[in-house]
Amino acid sequence: MPGFIKPQLATLKSRAPKGEHWLHEIKYDGYRVQVHLNRGRKKVYTRNGLDWTKRFSAIAGALDIPGEAIIDERWLSFTRAVPTFPNFRQS
């Protein structure tokens, strides 16, 4: 398994592209993480490569994928169906 892989980050633009070949989605605020799963062992990295495995151990523990995988995702916290970023800072 490779170590941390630097993620491709979004680039700020002054306006969204136009045309029928584009999709747009709501961007929720949360933590961008990279999860490395290696035969039962789990490692969680922030988008800057910090090892936050201990901080997010409960969430990483829920990922039960056999074999090897690298998952690049955004973890969100919701309160009454509303994204609440500060909840992560309290955990």
Side-chain angles (χ1 to χ4, degrees), residues 5-69:
I5 300 168
K6 188 175 178 177
Q8 186 175 20
L9 301 176
T11 303
L12 182 63
K13 297 290 182 181
S14 60
R15 61 179 183 245
K18 295 181 181 180
E20 62 185 54
H21 300 290
W22 291 95
L23 290 174
H24 302 282
E25 62 184 29
I26 296 171
K27 184 210 174 280
Y28 291 111
D29 210 5
Y31 277 107
R32 170 91 177 263
V33 296
Q34 192 176 104
V35 183
H36 291 227
L37 306 170
N38 188 4
R39 297 182 180 95
R41 289 177 296 182
K42 297 164 182 141
K43 203 92 152 149
V44 179
Y45 297 99
T46 66
R47 73 180 200 162
N48 294 316
L50 300 176
D51 183 346
W52 277 16
T53 306
K54 288 183 182 178
R55 182 169 184 167
F56 290 133
S57 62
I59 300 172
L63 298 171
D64 189 20
I65 298 171
E68 299 176 346

